[in-house]
Amino acid sequence: MKRSIIAVAASILMASNLASAKPLELEDVFDLEYANQIEFSHDAELVYFVRNRMDIKTDKKVSNIWSVNVKTKQLLPVTSGVHIDYAPTLSPQGDRLAFISTRDGSSQIYVKWLSSGAVAKISNLTQSPNSLSWTPDGKSIVFSQFVPEAAKTPVSLKGKPKGATWAKPPVFIDDVFYRADGAGYSKSGFTHIFKIDANGGNAQQLTSGRFNHGGQVSFSGDGNTLYFSANRHPDYELKVINSEVYSLDMKTLEIKAVTQRVGPDRAPAVSPNGRFLAYIGYDDKRTNYENAHVYVIDLEKSESRVLTQDLDRSVESIQWDSKSRGLYYSYDSQGQTVVAHQPLNSKAKIITEQVGSVSFGRPYSGGDFDVSVKGDVAFTMADTQRPADVGVVQRGKTQRLTQLNEDALANKTLGKVEELWVKSKHDQLDIQGWIVYPPNFDQSKKYPLVLEIHGGPVANYGPHFSAEAQLFAAKGNVVLYMNPRGSDSYGKTFAQTIHHNYPSNDFDDLMTGVDEVIKKGFIDESRLFVTGGSGGGVLTAWTVGHTDRFAAAVVAKPVINWFSFVLTADFYPYFADYWFPGKPWEHTEHYMKRSPISYVGNVKTPTMLLTGDADYRTPISETEQYYQALKLQGVETAMVRIPDASHGITARPSNLMNKVAYIQWWFDKHSNK
């Protein structure tokens, strides 16, 4: 009797909670949090991480460092304040935590003494530091920093009277890379590696030359040699991914190349016993994609071998185990990020497949992990219903240590996400996707369908939390997102199907997915919509140029004309060399055959464009071309320009809200026309 009363009470409470739950709304974006930048304490009892939230007053991300106890799950703040604290890095002795903070208005290096709680700013840099690493003795911190050079001014006018007001002088540019998305027009100079005393002082520059140095570094056991990655080749500006691993003598500052091949070699990591040097790389074959593998050099014998030759996936990050017997590494597989352990002399073992993305706007894969001396793995843990928390794997068992979004999402009804596999109508190739259902979905009703296409094009979506997809679902849409051919996480052959062939049959893959969802019987075929950003914007524009089945489309930050794109994008030497068989004027027909602008005469679908006006990756001139072409063609169109936004439009929360709101407005405007 008592049990039945409890059961009835529980069911009533559950029904009450469901009745009071509401769909996700635009302003809820400011309530979301996520964890990243994982760091294990040396005793494996604490996990340090960066806790990110959105500040509604400044419309920016705010980050602080927190710790969570692995046994008790107790959360404690390590830093606080309305600013950005990031890059937590423990000293070799485990007694101090170095980090970077913007708390005084610029990015500087800070150290916290964990026993006393004392915090000190140890740098007074003129440029932002990156990639903190402690020297093995704990006395110094190594970091990278941009070193500006004097601006080039070959012409200097004379004759300006005292007190006169003349126009600003011209800006002279002769560098290959002169602007970068998210950073704007570049200043003259190079990034170098520095060392600073852990108790504060002046930083010493360790590297030299007119090359950029930075990223992950690693020390020999005695601390006398520093390993780093850089592209120090004479033609580095045009051969942009041909980096090597170098060694630097900390006493003489002499630099020597450790690797010597055509291809990117990066992320050097010395084993704890000092005998081996691991790094990530591949042989450059000028394709759109190659699997990055783990290489290991025996420093005693100067012999190198590939450790992950049998893995048909691309390795993202590596970390040695404490006994120098193997490496932990992460990679993406079928839209999910995996952490595995690869012994030096036996087969790999998967540790977890639950690594969650730290990009909560759209459902991209990725995430962070760290390994304790005991072999425990802490990682960013997320799923379709929650952004990244901190999780841990101990002795094969996985548990979630934090619940950062229960206050924001526990009373929200989110859309269920379901995996979908189809065989492409082009060649029966297996294609993976996911369906996001509206909250309180009713199989007997008819719903609009939104096809949302990922960028890249070599990237992947997966079963991860997506604020944008959930917001569309909350408005009563069924959302379909897929990984068409060319996506990574399915092996080298799958990714290379679009080599010099993009867009092409990836369009067929997407249409196969749409057809499969329609077959389920709950889609209103008069309300089919399509959108996507970057590479997804390319495919959206390609789609409306090849079919008129969609009621409306929103093309976000697209490439419309490959010819003009290669000649205006920030990373243009790479695009010309790897995405195409040659320069635009040498292969005009090929460029234009793959350009959505070539098919604008076929477009009948009402198509809106949306791009940041400070986008230098897919410059807004691409958007303007398509807008004007559609106007000339008499197609209903509109252009939405996001002020001051780069390619990463949603870096500011309100821009994510605006993006979703404008897309939904356009779809509503053309619903049932």
Side-chain angles (χ1 to χ4, degrees):
M1 182 67 177
K2 185 176 181 181
R3 287 185 180 179
S4 63
I5 292 174
I6 293 174
V8 169
S11 63
I12 292 173
L13 180 61
M14 183 179 296
S16 175
N17 289 338
L18 288 173
S20 63
K22 298 179 180 179
L24 196 68
E25 299 177 350
L26 289 172
E27 55 268 29
D28 293 329
V29 169
F30 281 105
D31 296 330
L32 299 177
E33 298 184 60
Y34 67 94
N36 68 348
Q37 300 182 34
I38 304 292
E39 180 88 348
F40 244 125
S41 65
H42 288 5
D43 58 11
E45 293 183 1
L46 298 176
V47 177
Y48 296 97
F49 66 96
V50 175
R51 185 173 181 175
N52 304 275
R53 65 178 178 85
M54 309 302 141
D55 183 60
I56 198 169
K57 293 182 179 179
T58 61
D59 190 25
K60 292 181 180 180
K61 181 178 73 174
V62 174
S63 304
N64 297 126
I65 299 168
W66 285 65
S67 70
V68 59
N69 188 288
V70 174
K71 292 181 179 179
T72 66
K73 300 184 181 179
Q74 182 183 14
L75 278 166
L76 288 174
V78 179
T79 68
S80 61
V82 185
H83 47 254
I84 300 176
D85 300 323
Y86 61 104
T89 310
L90 274 171
S91 65
Q93 297 75 26
D95 59 339
R96 290 159 293 163
L97 187 76
F99 61 96
I100 302 172
S101 178
T102 62
R103 61 186 59 194
D104 74 345
S106 65
S107 294
Q108 299 292 337
I109 303 172
Y110 290 75
V111 171
K112 178 162 186 170
W113 280 258
L114 298 174
S115 60
S116 67
V119 178
K121 184 176 79 167
I122 67 164
S123 71
N124 189 26
L125 307 171
T126 58
Q127 305 292 324
S128 298
N130 289 289
S131 305
L132 303 184
S133 294
W134 290 83
T135 55
D137 59 11
K139 294 181 178 180
S140 301
I141 296 171
V142 169
F143 64 96
S144 59
Q145 178 190 219
F146 180 73
V147 179
E149 294 182 347
K152 301 173 184 177
T153 53
V155 172
S156 181
L157 297 182
K158 297 180 179 180
K160 180 181 177 181
K162 184 177 181 180
T165 302
W166 286 14
K168 291 182 179 179
V171 177
F172 177 76
I173 297 172
D174 65 353
D175 296 317
V176 173
F177 292 100
Y178 61 94
R179 63 181 183 180
D181 185 67
Y185 281 81
S186 305
K187 297 179 180 178
S188 297
F190 296 89
T191 299
H192 287 286
I193 298 173
F194 288 78
K195 181 180 74 170
I196 190 170
D197 190 289
N199 292 317
N202 295 317
Q204 174 193 1
Q205 184 172 325
L206 302 179
T207 57
S208 59
R210 297 181 62 80
F211 307 102
N212 289 308
H213 311 75
Q216 178 179 325
V217 303
S218 187
F219 283 94
S220 60
D222 58 12
N224 292 330
T225 303
L226 173 70
Y227 294 94
F228 65 93
S229 175
N231 185 345
R232 291 173 57 90
H233 299 284
D235 58 355
Y236 74 93
E237 286 188 304
L238 294 176
K239 304 301 180 183
V240 291
I241 67 170
N242 188 24
S243 60
E244 311 290 352
V245 173
Y246 293 89
S247 66
L248 182 144
D249 188 301
M250 293 293 288
K251 295 180 180 178
T252 67
L253 303 186
E254 180 184 8
I255 296 174
K256 294 181 179 179
V258 177
T259 62
Q260 294 181 350
R261 64 158 171 192
V262 177
D265 293 324
R266 62 177 180 86
V270 178
S271 61
N273 64 8
R275 179 176 175 180
F276 302 104
L277 174 69
Y279 60 95
I280 301 172
Y282 62 82
D283 292 317
D284 183 7
K285 299 177 182 177
R286 293 183 66 184
T287 61
N288 73 310
Y289 174 89
E290 292 290 337
N291 283 329
H293 288 291
V294 181
Y295 290 76
V296 174
I297 297 175
D298 187 327
L299 294 174
E300 295 178 2
K301 301 178 181 179
S302 299
E303 296 175 351
S304 176
R305 63 188 176 102
V306 185
L307 203 60
T308 57
Q309 186 66 57
D310 296 333
L311 178 67
D312 188 17
R313 297 291 188 268
S314 192
V315 174
E316 294 296 325
S317 58
I318 57 175
Q319 184 175 337
W320 282 96
D321 60 35
S322 61
K323 296 181 180 179
S324 303
R325 294 176 180 174
L327 291 114
Y328 292 87
Y329 59 97
S330 65
Y331 60 92
D332 292 345
S333 184
Q334 296 186 355
Q336 188 71 54
T337 301
V338 177
V339 174
H341 179 258
Q342 174 67 65
L344 293 178
N345 297 303
S346 58
K347 293 183 179 180
K349 176 185 177 182
I350 291 177
I351 306 301
T352 180
E353 297 176 300
Q354 300 183 54
V355 180
S357 171
V358 296
S359 173
F360 71 80
R362 292 191 282 167
Y364 284 109
S365 62
D368 303 332
F369 77 94
D370 192 29
V371 185
S372 76
V373 293
K374 299 177 181 179
D376 301 333
V377 176
F379 61 97
T380 51
M381 185 179 187
D383 53 40
T384 61
Q385 303 298 296
R386 294 292 184 271
D389 275 304
V390 179
V392 67
V393 180
Q394 293 178 302
R395 296 177 292 279
K397 294 183 179 180
T398 302
Q399 62 172 325
R400 189 185 296 263
L401 298 180
T402 65
Q403 293 184 321
L404 300 180
N405 289 283
E406 289 311 294
D407 57 340
L409 298 176
N411 65 339
K412 296 291 180 180
T413 303
L414 298 179
K416 172 189 171 186
V417 180
E418 179 181 276
E419 186 181 41
L420 174 74
W421 282 92
V422 300
K423 289 189 177 294
S424 176
K425 62 183 180 180
H426 172 67
D427 56 4
Q428 298 300 296
L429 186 64
D430 289 325
I431 304 295
Q432 188 181 25
W434 290 265
I435 304 170
V436 186
Y437 293 92
N440 306 314
F441 173 75
D442 185 342
Q443 177 81 28
S444 66
K445 294 183 178 180
K446 295 284 188 179
Y447 294 89
L449 175 66
V450 174
L451 172 63
E452 208 284 332
I453 310 172
H454 75 62
V458 181
N460 68 86
Y461 278 162
H464 312 294
F465 182 84
S466 168
E468 293 185 30
Q470 289 290 345
L471 286 166
F472 287 133
K475 289 296 184 180
N477 301 291
V478 172
V479 181
L480 172 65
Y481 61 86
M482 305 180 69
N483 287 333
R485 69 190 64 211
S487 303
D488 57 5
S489 82
Y490 301 90
K492 179 177 176 178
T493 300
F494 189 93
Q496 287 188 351
T497 52
I498 63 168
H499 178 60
H500 296 172
N501 188 36
Y502 166 73
S504 60
N505 303 118
D506 35 8
F507 165 74
D508 299 310
D509 302 340
L510 295 167
M511 294 307 102
T512 303
V514 171
D515 293 339
E516 191 65 27
V517 177
I518 290 173
K519 286 179 185 178
K520 294 180 179 293
F522 48 75
I523 298 301
D524 180 351
E525 292 189 59
S526 70
R527 292 187 291 167
L528 301 181
F529 304 106
V530 58
T531 186
S534 193
V538 175
L539 275 168
T540 302
W542 185 269
T543 295
V544 296
H546 287 77
T547 181
D548 59 2
R549 71 185 304 188
F550 292 93
V554 177
V555 176
K557 49 187 180 183
V559 175
I560 296 302
N561 181 337
W562 289 115
F563 199 115
S564 58
F565 165 75
V566 165
L567 300 181
T568 55
D570 58 349
F571 209 47
Y572 62 102
Y574 175 82
F575 297 132
D577 271 357
Y578 292 86
W579 286 14
F580 295 94
K583 299 178 180 67
W585 48 91
E586 297 170 345
H587 301 273
T588 302
E589 183 178 353
H590 178 94
Y591 273 73
M592 298 314 296
K593 183 180 179 180
R594 300 297 173 201
S595 294
I597 195 70
S598 297
Y599 307 95
V600 71
N602 301 332
V603 178
K604 298 186 175 98
T605 307
T607 301
M608 185 170 75
L609 296 113
L610 186 151
T611 303
D613 63 13
D615 191 329
Y616 295 134
R617 180 60 44 83
T618 55
I620 199 166
S621 57
E622 294 294 308
T623 291
E624 292 166 338
Q625 285 184 65
Y626 206 53
Y627 173 76
Q628 294 183 194
L630 290 170
K631 284 292 188 183
L632 290 173
Q633 190 64 18
V635 177
E636 185 179 357
T637 186
M639 177 168 52
V640 180
R641 303 170 70 101
I642 310 297
D644 305 319
S646 64
H647 197 62
I649 289 175
T650 59
R652 302 192 73 170
S654 66
N655 280 343
L656 187 155
M657 296 163 65
N658 270 317
K659 177 187 175 186
V660 172
Y662 267 100
I663 293 173
Q664 186 63 59
W665 170 79
W666 187 254
F667 291 165
D668 289 343
K669 175 181 169 72
H670 296 93
S671 185
N672 291 325
K673 269 199 169 184

